[in-house]
Amino acid sequence: MGNKELLEKDFKNLLSELNSYKEMLALAQWDMRTKIPKKGVEQRSEVVGFLAEKAHQLETSEKMKYFIDMLKEDTENEIIKKAVLECEENYIRNSKIPLDEYKNYVMLQSKSEAVWQEAREKANFALFQPYLERLVEYNQRFATYWGYEDHIYDALLHNFEPGITTETLDRVFPDLRQAISSLLTKINESSLKPDSSILQSHFPKTDQEEFSKEILNRMGYDFSSGRLDETIHPFAISLNLNDVRITTRYDESDFRTAIFGTIHEGGHALYEQNISEKLASTPLATGTSMGIHESQSLFWENFIGRSKAFWSSHYELFKKFAPTSFQQVPLNEFYQAINEVKASFIRIEADELTYPLHIMIRYELEKLLINGDIKVSDLPNLWNEKMQDYLGIKPPTDREGVLQDIHWAGGDFGYFPSYALGYMYAAQFNHILSREVNVKEAISTGNLGSIKHWLTQNIHQYGKMKKPLQLIEDVTQEKLNPVYLINYLTQKYTDIYRL
């Protein structure tokens, strides 16, 4: 074995060691969000801090720097080359954060999530406020460490969507909002009003879970490499390519929360489960960005899961698990009801049309917070004002308002825009997919495998081998274009509401 081969082998061993810490960190975080006893949070936060510290030390070590310098320009292995570049970016960014600050921040994240859960249950923002204030301060400081050109918020956006800037969002969001507002006006004037009350019947959690698992199976989710659990705020988490877990939330008075939430998280999981095994144990073995990740979850949830073709082929299966009150509901009325446009307090329960408005509210508040234009204590009132402005409703308590999402508790500032970006990406992908695969026929015949195969071949397998904007252009032959989402929403709701 030559010197270059030995060097690459040693580099892989370092990546494997780093990956081991990150896998244990992910497992600890999964447990904290699903199973941990309340009294175990404090000690577990210490463990999370220890694991994060060890991973941070490896990512910023002299040994890592040595491999980066030696292999960056001197390897013919494309995977090694891309992994080195990814490690170099992580090395540069993480080296700018003092180790003690990073460890304390990770511990704060874990404690904040636990406090957020309590604050949410009690609808008491004051409990969570001091933790959120510290999280905001850390993110402002980290953004300054990393540096930025025009907007401090860009430094945080980069963590989730490399290549996207505040300028980009401020350009595409207004067009999308205007299109949605125009459709909302027409829908409100329409005489056709779907009756969603037909959906709100007691639906036992166990039956919802069985139906959810059946749908996940049909989507192609591999239960031998994953599991489905219950939590307050649904999420998917990848420990490794053969252990990708999903969580959901059940509401026995409204099955839509669990069913569409599970399909959404299933889309995330399919992405992670179908990354090429060649990328295993490297920093490339994950989704290329949160926007691309959200494109997969929103594609499955909305473009597939809320489509007429899906329910035409799955309605009898649904009635097998559903309570008797659903047995006589006509398919068309059911389809219209699950696609009713109605302002919702809760983002994850929002209809397809108003969903992006929820994201824009959070984006605007995040920018103001990180810019220092507002204080954390201003959030509850500003949240309610923006909900009134964008959706015409005011949350009755902070549980349905500013406390509903876990993202800020985890310090994930810059994350929310990826949901709206992912929705736009999904529409672009769907436009190309529909040219190459007969999507309606595939859904109608239950052949979801052909759709999964296309997504794997064009998106999933690459992991982080391609940057998000490069992937978008490779698949769709153009840059981010909100027109496809606008066209999709216009056509769908024109048909449903006979506009």
Side-chain angles (χ1 to χ4, degrees):
M1 185 178 290
N3 290 336
K4 187 182 295 184
E5 287 80 8
L6 281 171
L7 192 66
E8 291 179 356
K9 182 181 178 182
D10 289 343
F11 176 58
K12 289 179 181 178
N13 287 338
L14 178 62
L15 292 183
S16 181
E17 183 181 357
L18 174 60
N19 205 56
S20 294
Y21 282 115
K22 290 191 172 184
E23 180 169 335
M24 289 301 99
L25 185 60
L27 182 60
Q29 290 169 333
W30 171 84
D31 184 62
M32 288 186 76
R33 295 179 184 180
T34 55
K35 305 291 184 183
I36 194 168
K38 185 176 181 180
K39 289 185 177 180
V41 171
E42 188 73 26
Q43 175 63 25
R44 182 60 55 79
S45 296
E46 296 285 340
V47 173
V48 165
F50 170 80
L51 293 170
E53 180 183 25
K54 290 297 183 183
H56 187 276
Q57 287 175 333
L58 285 177
E59 286 184 318
T60 58
S61 65
E62 287 301 314
K63 192 174 184 180
M64 179 64 79
K65 182 67 164 59
Y66 170 76
F67 286 123
I68 291 170
D69 291 341
M70 295 298 291
L71 290 170
K72 186 168 64 171
E73 305 294 341
D74 192 31
T75 180
E76 296 171 3
N77 185 313
E78 190 64 21
I79 293 176
I80 293 289
K81 185 178 296 185
K82 293 282 188 180
V84 167
L85 292 175
E86 187 70 23
C87 288
E88 181 180 39
E89 180 173 351
N90 290 337
Y91 176 87
I92 292 171
R93 287 176 72 81
N94 290 334
S95 294
K96 294 178 178 179
I97 300 176
L99 180 58
D100 59 335
E101 283 192 41
Y102 181 74
K103 180 181 179 180
N104 290 335
Y105 176 65
V106 174
M107 291 170 61
L108 174 63
Q109 287 175 304
S110 298
K111 292 176 183 177
S112 295
E113 288 191 9
V115 173
W116 165 80
Q117 290 190 31
E118 182 183 358
R120 183 182 179 279
E121 289 168 5
K122 296 179 178 178
N124 185 352
F125 181 75
L127 291 175
F128 179 51
Q129 181 179 321
Y131 292 84
L132 185 55
E133 286 171 343
R134 292 174 62 198
L135 287 167
V136 170
E137 289 170 4
Y138 268 112
N139 274 272
Q140 289 169 326
R141 193 156 63 247
F142 290 173
T144 302
Y145 291 155
W146 292 323
Y148 53 90
E149 290 185 10
D150 299 315
H151 302 278
I152 185 173
Y153 189 73
D154 289 347
L156 303 178
L157 268 177
H158 182 85
N159 291 329
F160 304 101
E161 205 61 23
I164 293 294
T165 64
T166 303
E167 183 182 3
T168 304
L169 298 178
D170 289 343
R171 174 173 51 83
V172 299
F173 279 179
D175 289 344
L176 183 57
R177 183 184 180 185
Q178 183 178 0
I180 291 172
S181 296
S182 177
L183 275 171
L184 279 174
T185 299
K186 294 177 182 177
I187 288 170
N188 290 334
E189 294 172 351
S190 172
S191 59
L192 194 153
K193 304 295 180 187
D195 180 14
S196 61
S197 66
I198 62 175
L199 307 178
Q200 292 160 353
S201 182
H202 182 75
F203 197 143
K205 182 170 71 174
T206 53
D207 294 329
Q208 290 188 46
E209 183 179 9
E210 289 305 308
F211 178 67
S212 296
K213 286 181 176 179
E214 183 61 38
I215 295 302
L216 286 172
N217 276 318
R218 295 189 179 203
M219 288 169 61
Y221 177 70
D222 183 0
F223 273 98
S224 67
S225 298
R227 54 185 292 143
L228 175 65
D229 292 279
E230 185 177 1
T231 191
I232 293 176
H233 191 103
F235 66 94
I237 192 166
S238 177
L239 277 64
N240 60 62
L241 298 185
N242 293 307
D243 190 348
V244 183
R245 306 181 181 195
I246 298 171
T247 66
T248 195
R249 179 166 67 89
Y250 298 99
D251 181 343
E252 293 192 327
S253 64
D254 192 340
F255 73 91
R256 291 173 294 182
T257 299
I259 301 306
F260 293 116
T262 302
I263 294 174
H264 180 99
E265 300 307 334
H268 282 303
L270 288 179
Y271 191 173
E272 295 286 333
Q273 284 190 338
N274 291 285
I275 291 170
S276 172
E277 285 285 349
K278 296 177 182 178
L279 306 180
S281 297
T282 76
L284 306 173
T286 188
T288 187
S289 74
M290 287 316 303
I292 300 297
H293 238 304
E294 291 303 331
S295 77
Q296 299 310 286
S297 55
L298 289 168
F299 170 79
W300 280 102
E301 178 190 358
N302 293 337
F303 293 80
I304 303 297
R306 296 183 194 269
S307 70
K308 184 69 172 288
F310 179 86
W311 287 103
S312 294
S313 59
H314 290 84
Y315 197 40
E316 290 306 313
L317 176 68
F318 171 79
K319 290 197 287 188
K320 176 182 174 183
F321 295 96
T324 55
S325 58
F326 284 94
Q327 302 308 315
Q328 302 304 316
V329 176
L331 171 61
N332 195 54
E333 289 182 22
F334 177 87
Y335 170 70
Q336 289 180 332
I338 63 170
N339 284 289
E340 177 191 30
V341 173
K342 184 178 181 180
S344 166
F345 297 118
I346 308 300
R347 174 183 62 84
I348 62 173
E349 297 173 8
D351 58 77
E352 283 186 84
L353 184 62
T354 60
Y355 181 84
L357 301 180
H358 287 262
I359 304 308
M360 293 176 199
I361 289 170
R362 289 153 175 77
Y363 165 62
E364 291 180 10
L365 291 175
E366 282 194 345
K367 276 199 306 181
L368 292 169
L369 270 178
I370 300 303
N371 286 340
D373 295 328
I374 63 171
K375 298 177 182 178
V376 168
S377 57
D378 298 326
L379 281 175
N381 286 335
L382 286 176
W383 182 288
N384 292 348
E385 288 174 9
K386 285 190 176 292
M387 285 290 288
Q388 187 69 50
D389 180 34
Y390 274 74
L391 292 160
I393 55 176
K394 181 180 178 180
T397 74
D398 288 340
R399 181 189 297 111
E400 296 84 8
V402 71
L403 286 172
Q404 67 179 269
D405 292 300
I406 196 173
H407 302 67
W408 288 345
D412 291 334
F413 292 92
Y415 187 122
F416 277 120
S418 66
Y419 287 109
L421 288 166
Y423 206 179
M424 288 184 270
Y425 293 158
Q428 279 187 244
F429 288 142
N430 183 61
H431 177 70
I432 300 300
L433 167 63
S434 298
R435 285 184 187 173
E436 301 177 11
V437 176
N438 189 329
V439 176
K440 287 186 178 179
E441 181 180 314
I443 299 172
S444 297
T445 58
N447 184 25
L448 299 179
S450 63
I451 296 171
K452 173 178 169 284
H453 176 75
W454 188 93
L455 294 170
T456 296
Q457 292 300 112
N458 289 278
I459 301 167
H460 300 168
Q461 65 166 320
Y462 295 108
K464 272 195 168 185
M465 285 290 286
K466 295 184 178 184
K467 293 293 185 183
L469 298 184
Q470 177 196 352
L471 184 66
I472 285 288
E473 291 197 43
D474 284 352
V475 176
T476 70
Q477 303 303 306
E478 63 178 312
K479 299 180 186 297
L480 170 65
N481 188 346
V483 166
Y484 294 103
L485 178 57
I486 292 170
N487 289 345
Y488 163 77
L489 293 172
T490 300
Q491 180 177 339
K492 176 167 186 172
Y493 288 100
T494 296
D495 292 343
I496 290 175
Y497 281 87
R498 300 171 192 165
L499 303 179

